Amino acid sequence: MPRTVWEELVSAMQFGKLKLVNRAEKSVPRPDGKRALVLPLAFTFGLAGFALLPGVHQNPKVLITFLGVAAALCAWNAILFVWAWRGGRMLTIDVVLRKQHYLQACAQCSVLLYWGWYWPQVYASAYLIAAQLVFAYAFDMLLCWSRRNTYTLGFAPFPIVFSINLFLWFKPDWFYFQFAMVALGLAAKELIHWKREGRSVHIFNPSSFPLAVVSIILIATHTSDLTWAKNIASTQFYPPHMYLVLFLIGLPGQFFFGVTSMTMSAVVSTYLFGRIYFAVTGVYFFYDSYIPIAVFLGMHLLFNDPSTSPRTELGRMIYGAIYGLSTVALYWLLGSTGMPTFYDKLLQVPLLNLSVKAIDRATRSRWLRILDPAALGQSLVPWQRNVAFMSIWVVVFAGMSAAQGVGDSHPGQWLPFWRQACQDGRPYACPYLADLSLSYCNQGSGWACNEAGLLHIALSRSGEDLRRLDPAGAAEPFSRGCRLGFPTACRNFYTLTRGASRFTSAPPALHDYPIILRGSKGEIHEREPSALYALACHEGWPNTCALTAGGE
């Protein structure tokens, strides 16, 4: 009995591949791509339609960006139409819904939604992320059809766009660079290939490549302030239990694609380095965490693309360890040269992608083959090996959580730890404490302003911080603290201007606590004295535990 069209469609989709070709065109002696090109044109008009949104048409630079990009895509579409018509080309579409793409997209979207609940800028920028998706489909179709006759339609643009936006956004006036990043990622995936195990495959992770290239440009031109990168790196820690959320979100991909060993080795190597560093120095390498949340995100949803990583299990473990330790090295290098440190998880991924052949070759050698953990589970089918590695990772993560290696309560995010470390003469503690105090001063704490001024003077005398060699620089935080109503800052400002050398400190006022207690988790909403003192007691502030009953 002949099957219906609907049954044919379902059967084709069950095999994961559906070729969409107009049946009438099959019998035409001279086929054309006229109908196929309607699809990228529709996406292009959709992109232009974003100009109707207030966030676009009320900003002339953003409006010009959207209309200019849409016009360029229209021109490309027209050129391709003429080329296909004259060449008698049949432009077709294959629908291939790869699990790797839609699972990754779901994981990334979950992070965006959870993060956006605590940082409103994410939800406010949702239409810009949607615009990048529309642009990505139009650009990808036109690029592929410019090179061959078949375009593979699926969810591939989603993880590229989402991944880019999890780590780097350009501010609205410079948003055309965001489209350029998406285009660069898609172009790298389409154009930069090599032979690997007998197949032509793309070399670079299509989201990591543009992130690394643009990061290098921003560092070289000192223009990081054109982006929200610093805000992204800090606000991703605002949601509660973010480490646990990222761990859980990463599990489905680890089950289906066997990338657990990469993520686990990256996390463990970075954590062990942090533990050793703390044991030697008494302070934390990343200051407020063993593994910054943005780096932890990169270890779960950025560098571990199975298509651009090693094939062997030992190779994946080495690959993950290199990513973790290179993050440490880049953080130190960027920080020591005065560069923004939030690029530490982005710059190395393309180089890692280039190393995968060499890593696999080395792990298949006679000397390293015996160390490959895959040899221990040769009797297991792939999904069973994946579950075994995931089980080990669950135990490791639980142990790290219990030891405060990951989680919301790391002591390095709070002032009392750094005040004690500074008093103990720990390396880098006093400069970091001065930076932290100045940050809280800028947020409106008069007490923090006074402390920032005192630390500036102390550091100018010790010479430990090259940014604070002139004691006169303390006048600004003292003056700001005075304007904020902290009397001791006024007296210290007067002492400094007279050239005297006796400066005084004082305890925080009650209204300082909502600012200086916030740590790395964002705004403190408590205002009741008893609640503030209880939180201060928990963080280790001296002389506050006795005040938790409600008195000042």
Side-chain angles (χ1 to χ4, degrees):
M1 178 177 175
R3 296 195 294 182
T4 65
V5 174
W6 173 251
E7 289 171 334
E8 292 278 1
L9 179 64
V10 171
S11 176
M13 293 188 70
Q14 285 174 342
F15 283 93
K17 187 171 183 179
L18 172 64
K19 180 169 285 189
L20 299 181
V21 182
N22 187 280
R23 292 185 180 274
E25 289 179 343
K26 286 187 175 180
S27 59
V28 177
R30 183 185 172 190
D32 64 78
K34 175 172 60 177
R35 298 193 179 187
L37 286 170
V38 170
L39 193 55
L41 192 61
F43 278 109
T44 301
F45 287 158
L47 183 64
F50 279 87
L52 301 176
L53 297 177
V56 176
H57 71 73
Q58 291 177 1
N59 186 325
K61 291 184 179 180
V62 179
L63 179 62
I64 291 172
T65 294
F66 273 76
L67 296 181
V69 170
L73 292 174
C74 278
W76 191 358
N77 203 91
I79 293 170
L80 187 56
F81 175 84
V82 173
W83 185 18
W85 179 270
R86 290 183 175 176
R89 296 174 59 196
M90 172 77 76
L91 302 183
T92 61
I93 297 175
D94 281 353
V95 176
V96 181
L97 307 179
R98 292 192 174 96
K99 188 179 296 183
Q100 175 182 337
H101 294 152
Y102 60 75
L103 275 183
Q104 186 83 338
C106 288
Q108 293 161 340
C109 186
S110 299
V111 175
L112 287 167
L113 291 173
Y114 185 57
W115 172 32
W117 189 258
Y118 293 89
W119 192 46
Q121 184 65 38
V122 178
Y123 289 175
S125 302
Y127 71 97
L128 296 174
I129 298 175
Q132 293 170 67
L133 281 171
V134 173
F135 166 79
Y137 273 102
F139 181 91
D140 199 29
M141 289 178 191
L142 293 171
L143 178 62
C144 289
W145 276 329
S146 295
R147 303 185 68 241
R148 55 182 180 273
N149 290 339
T150 300
Y151 171 69
T152 302
L153 178 64
F155 292 102
F158 275 81
I160 296 174
V161 171
F162 285 168
S163 185
I164 288 173
N165 283 268
L166 280 171
F167 295 95
L168 194 61
W169 306 347
F170 280 88
K171 295 176 180 178
D173 286 355
W174 308 94
F175 195 72
Y176 50 88
F177 286 122
Q178 203 74 23
F179 287 128
M181 274 202 295
V182 174
L184 181 59
L186 292 167
K189 182 181 179 183
E190 176 67 22
L191 303 174
I192 308 177
H193 282 222
W194 62 6
K195 285 285 186 181
R196 192 174 176 200
E197 298 179 351
R199 296 175 57 235
S200 176
V201 295
H202 58 277
I203 300 175
F204 298 111
N205 180 320
S207 56
S208 297
F209 182 76
L211 285 169
V213 170
V214 172
S215 295
I216 291 171
I217 295 172
L218 291 171
I219 291 171
T221 56
H222 303 282
T223 52
S224 297
D225 58 337
L226 303 184
T227 74
W228 295 107
K230 184 176 181 180
N231 304 77
I232 289 171
S234 60
T235 60
Q236 284 175 343
F237 192 47
Y238 283 5
H241 311 296
M242 192 60 167
Y243 286 97
L244 176 60
V245 169
L246 292 178
F247 169 77
L248 295 174
I249 284 174
L251 292 179
Q254 292 167 17
F255 174 76
F256 285 107
F257 311 121
V259 297
T260 309
S261 54
M262 279 191 286
T263 295
M264 180 169 59
S265 60
V267 172
V268 170
S269 61
T270 308
Y271 174 66
L272 289 178
F273 172 86
R275 280 289 183 182
I276 294 170
Y277 186 87
F278 179 77
V280 172
T281 65
V283 295
Y284 301 104
F285 181 78
F286 288 110
Y287 295 110
D288 64 350
S289 60
Y290 282 109
I291 306 172
I293 194 65
V295 172
F296 196 75
L297 173 62
M299 292 172 173
H300 283 75
L301 296 178
L302 179 65
F303 92 105
N304 54 354
D305 173 16
S307 300
T308 55
S309 45
R311 298 283 190 260
T312 61
E313 205 65 65
L314 179 59
R316 292 186 170 190
M317 295 177 70
I318 294 172
Y319 186 80
I322 293 174
Y323 178 77
L325 296 177
S326 64
T327 299
V328 170
L330 283 169
Y331 184 88
W332 173 82
L333 179 63
L334 292 168
S336 62
T337 55
M339 301 294 179
T341 56
F342 44 74
Y343 297 114
D344 55 356
K345 66 270 184 191
L346 305 178
L347 295 173
Q348 68 272 52
V349 182
L351 294 177
L352 285 173
N353 294 156
L354 287 170
S355 73
V356 296
K357 281 187 176 181
I359 291 174
D360 273 338
R361 212 165 30 242
T363 56
R364 287 172 177 145
S365 67
R366 184 178 57 174
W367 305 105
L368 291 179
R369 194 183 307 157
I370 58 174
L371 301 176
D372 194 339
L376 301 176
Q378 290 181 345
S379 62
L380 303 177
V381 296
W383 73 266
Q384 291 174 323
R385 284 198 297 270
N386 293 348
V387 170
F389 275 106
M390 288 173 63
S391 300
I392 297 171
W393 175 219
V394 168
V395 173
V396 170
F397 181 81
M400 291 173 57
S401 300
Q404 292 189 339
V406 291
D408 292 352
S409 300
H410 191 280
Q413 64 177 298
W414 295 314
L415 270 175
F417 171 84
W418 293 102
R419 295 185 74 197
Q420 186 62 51
C422 179
Q423 292 172 13
D424 294 342
R426 302 295 184 184
Y428 312 115
C430 292
Y432 182 71
L433 178 61
D435 291 342
L436 208 54
S437 299
L438 190 59
S439 172
Y440 292 142
C441 170
N442 292 333
Q443 294 171 42
S445 167
W447 174 86
C449 293
N450 188 60
E451 293 296 306
L454 294 173
L455 285 162
H456 187 108
I457 292 170
L459 289 166
S460 70
R461 293 170 178 171
S462 68
E464 186 180 353
D465 189 344
L466 298 179
R467 301 166 299 166
R468 296 180 170 95
L469 295 178
D470 183 3
E476 184 175 346
F478 282 149
S479 175
R480 180 169 174 79
C482 183
R483 292 195 303 271
L484 289 169
F486 196 73
T488 308
C490 300
R491 290 194 293 271
N492 285 334
F493 178 73
Y494 180 66
T495 300
L496 182 67
T497 55
R498 285 193 312 155
S501 58
R502 293 180 63 85
F503 300 94
T504 58
S505 183
L510 182 63
H511 57 264
D512 288 304
Y513 280 112
I515 298 172
I516 63 177
L517 296 178
R518 65 184 303 172
S520 303
K521 293 298 290 183
E523 185 178 354
I524 296 291
H525 297 287
E526 289 86 349
R527 291 297 182 271
E528 288 295 322
S530 58
L532 290 171
Y533 288 132
L535 187 56
C537 175
H538 171 72
E539 292 183 9
W541 285 85
N543 306 318
T544 56
C545 294
L547 301 172
T548 57
E552 292 193 38

